[in-house]
Amino acid sequence: MKTKQIVTNLSPYVPGKTIEEVKEAFGLERIVKLASNENPFGCSSYVKKGLQDALDNLELYPDGYAREIRQKLSKRLQVKEEQLMFGNGSDEIMLIICRAFLEQGTNTVMATPTFPQYKHNALIEGAEVREVPLVDGTHDLQAMLNQIDENTRVVWICNPNNPTGTIITQQQLDHFMQQCPEDVLVVMDEAYYEYVTDMEFPDSLKALPSYRNMIITRTFSKAYGLAALRIGYAIAHESIIKSLEPCREPFNTSVIAHRAAMLALDDEAFIKETSKQTEQIKQAVIAFCERQGLRYFPTQTNFILIHLPITGDEMAEYLLRNGFIVRSGEAIGIPNSIRLTIGNKQDMEEFMQVMEQKLLEDSHV
């Protein structure tokens, strides 16, 4: 059996250790997962209470057009229904974009480090990947423009960027889009949109009519707390959505996911309150970093990347043994760092105590 040659050189996505695995490995009773940028406050109570009716008729296929959530979201965002597409998380939308636009002889431009699935999916389609290093944790948009040529099909901008949490501003986006060729698709990945507080963050939705080659991707996995149900969406000009639809699986999102997303949209108070709490707790973590003399990237997300005097692997292993799962910077292209999801107040207070102990121990070596 012969696969594509590139597939033999690619590694599958390896998820972090599960809570159950860590409990078993280290004999711990309580584990706090701070590695996947999930919402520690869960999802809206509206969702939990209202899902029962979605369990009826499970023998039937879901609506492949996602009509109900499409209508609701189009009204919320004030865009046409034809401007929306839904995916099994925004990850699948990125895969669909690569399937539709990329092939051998084409190239795609992205930052590094950034969300790894852009590169992974592009390579599978046989495209050349052109990576541009971040500057101070932020996209170098001019350098990205310099990489665009007649064979460039897609440019990826993760805003806020994962794993650094930094943003590009409205002014920077406008300058980039005005310089970018109109036949190059620009993907604005806004998975952490609901957490942003910086007033200079671009209003990409408002900008869509001006930039017909832009597509915005968002998700219900992060702030809405629906990661387990896998539903995200894209917003773009009708012509772009139309070009993507043939590459989408016919029943790619579930009845339960549709219903949960609709219920989640009804509870704006949940998003506002949990985002507010996350920001307050994040500021406490930032103050901790300042006291410890630790550098960090200014983040507009529910995570923070902290630079360390030791390797990220060493700190992550120490934290793991003490019941905290974090992401080592060595695994995401930023050595001597960890990426930390902002948890609830109690969990973060305990985390900071454990991390402070490790830093204290190392300072005495």
Side-chain angles (χ1 to χ4, degrees):
M1 303 293 288
K2 293 184 178 180
T3 62
K4 293 180 180 179
Q5 182 60 41
I6 187 63
V7 174
T8 64
N9 300 321
L10 289 177
S11 299
Y13 175 76
V14 179
K17 292 182 180 295
T18 66
I19 291 174
E20 290 72 21
E21 286 176 315
V22 177
K23 284 182 177 180
E24 183 177 346
F26 299 105
L28 299 171
E29 295 184 1
R30 178 173 175 269
I31 302 297
V32 179
K33 186 182 177 189
L34 303 172
S36 300
N37 306 333
E38 296 143 330
N39 189 338
F41 304 106
C43 66
S44 163
S45 59
Y46 283 18
V47 174
K48 295 178 182 179
K49 293 176 182 177
L51 273 185
Q52 186 59 45
D53 60 348
L55 300 179
D56 296 332
N57 302 317
L58 292 183
E59 73 281 6
L60 301 179
Y61 283 106
D63 173 10
Y65 189 66
R67 191 173 310 277
E68 289 186 295
I69 180 62
R70 181 184 298 272
Q71 291 173 345
K72 192 177 189 74
L73 193 59
S74 70
K75 291 178 182 178
R76 172 67 60 86
L77 300 179
Q78 296 186 319
V79 298
K80 297 177 183 178
E81 292 180 27
E82 296 79 11
Q83 288 184 260
L84 295 171
M85 185 176 72
F86 294 85
N88 185 21
S90 55
D91 295 32
E92 189 196 23
I93 292 171
M94 294 159 194
L95 183 151
I96 292 170
I97 289 169
C98 289
R99 180 181 291 178
F101 285 89
L102 300 178
E103 58 190 336
Q104 288 189 356
T106 67
N107 69 68
T108 181
V109 178
M110 63 194 67
T112 184
T114 192
F115 187 57
Q117 291 307 105
Y118 312 151
K119 179 178 181 179
H120 185 90
N121 293 329
L123 289 173
I124 290 175
E125 298 303 328
E128 175 194 354
V129 174
R130 298 182 176 181
E131 297 180 284
V132 177
L134 300 173
V135 175
D136 296 327
T138 304
H139 288 69
D140 187 344
L141 294 181
Q142 186 57 55
M144 292 174 71
L145 283 171
N146 294 342
Q147 288 294 318
I148 297 173
D149 63 19
E150 66 276 8
N151 295 317
T152 304
R153 295 274 185 86
V154 183
V155 176
W156 306 85
I157 300 177
C158 189
N159 197 39
N161 187 49
N162 181 5
T164 57
T166 55
I167 66 167
I168 64 166
T169 65
Q170 182 73 59
Q171 183 178 8
Q172 290 170 322
L173 175 63
D174 287 335
H175 180 266
F176 180 87
M177 293 302 300
Q178 289 160 11
Q179 301 298 313
C180 183
E182 293 182 358
D183 62 348
V184 173
L185 181 67
V186 178
V187 183
M188 294 295 297
D189 178 358
E190 296 184 348
Y192 299 92
Y193 167 79
E194 290 82 7
Y195 288 110
V196 176
T197 60
D198 193 323
M199 297 301 293
E200 294 189 10
F201 187 75
D203 188 340
S204 55
L205 198 59
K206 187 177 181 180
L208 264 183
S210 299
Y211 307 127
R212 293 166 65 100
N213 58 326
M214 179 193 292
I215 183 169
I216 304 165
T217 64
R218 294 180 182 173
T219 183
F220 286 93
S221 295
K222 302 303 181 183
Y224 286 96
L226 300 179
L229 297 182
R230 313 305 303 124
I231 183 165
Y233 59 97
I235 321 154
H237 188 269
E238 299 100 299
S239 62
I240 293 177
I241 298 298
K242 187 176 180 179
S243 68
L244 293 174
E245 281 289 358
C247 299
R248 180 181 63 81
E249 294 296 325
F251 304 109
N252 62 327
T253 51
S254 72
V255 170
I256 296 174
H258 296 173
R259 181 62 177 162
M262 291 177 64
L263 291 164
L265 287 174
D266 284 336
D267 194 356
E268 292 185 52
F270 172 82
I271 294 295
K272 291 179 180 178
E273 180 58 29
T274 58
S275 296
K276 178 182 176 181
Q277 289 187 52
T278 297
E279 181 64 24
Q280 291 172 344
I281 298 167
K282 182 171 67 179
Q283 291 304 317
V285 176
I286 288 173
F288 166 80
C289 291
E290 297 282 358
R291 292 194 302 272
Q292 296 295 326
L294 300 174
R295 293 186 302 112
Y296 55 90
F297 286 121
T299 174
Q300 288 292 307
T301 64
N302 68 332
F303 63 83
I304 183 170
L305 192 137
I306 303 173
H307 299 279
L308 303 167
I310 59 176
T311 69
D313 286 348
E314 184 179 349
M315 179 61 79
E317 178 68 17
Y318 181 87
L319 291 167
L320 195 62
R321 291 180 178 278
N322 284 274
F324 293 92
I325 308 174
V326 302
R327 188 82 161 146
S328 169
E330 266 67 27
I332 53 180
I334 305 180
N336 294 78
S337 71
I338 56 170
R339 191 194 66 189
L340 168 72
T341 306
I342 303 301
N344 65 43
K345 183 177 180 180
Q346 178 182 342
D347 289 342
M348 296 313 295
E349 287 176 350
E350 293 178 10
F351 165 84
M352 288 185 282
Q353 291 174 3
V354 172
M355 187 169 172
E356 183 176 18
Q357 181 61 37
K358 174 60 175 172
L359 294 170
L360 185 62
E361 291 174 5
D362 288 345
S363 68
H364 290 158
V365 174

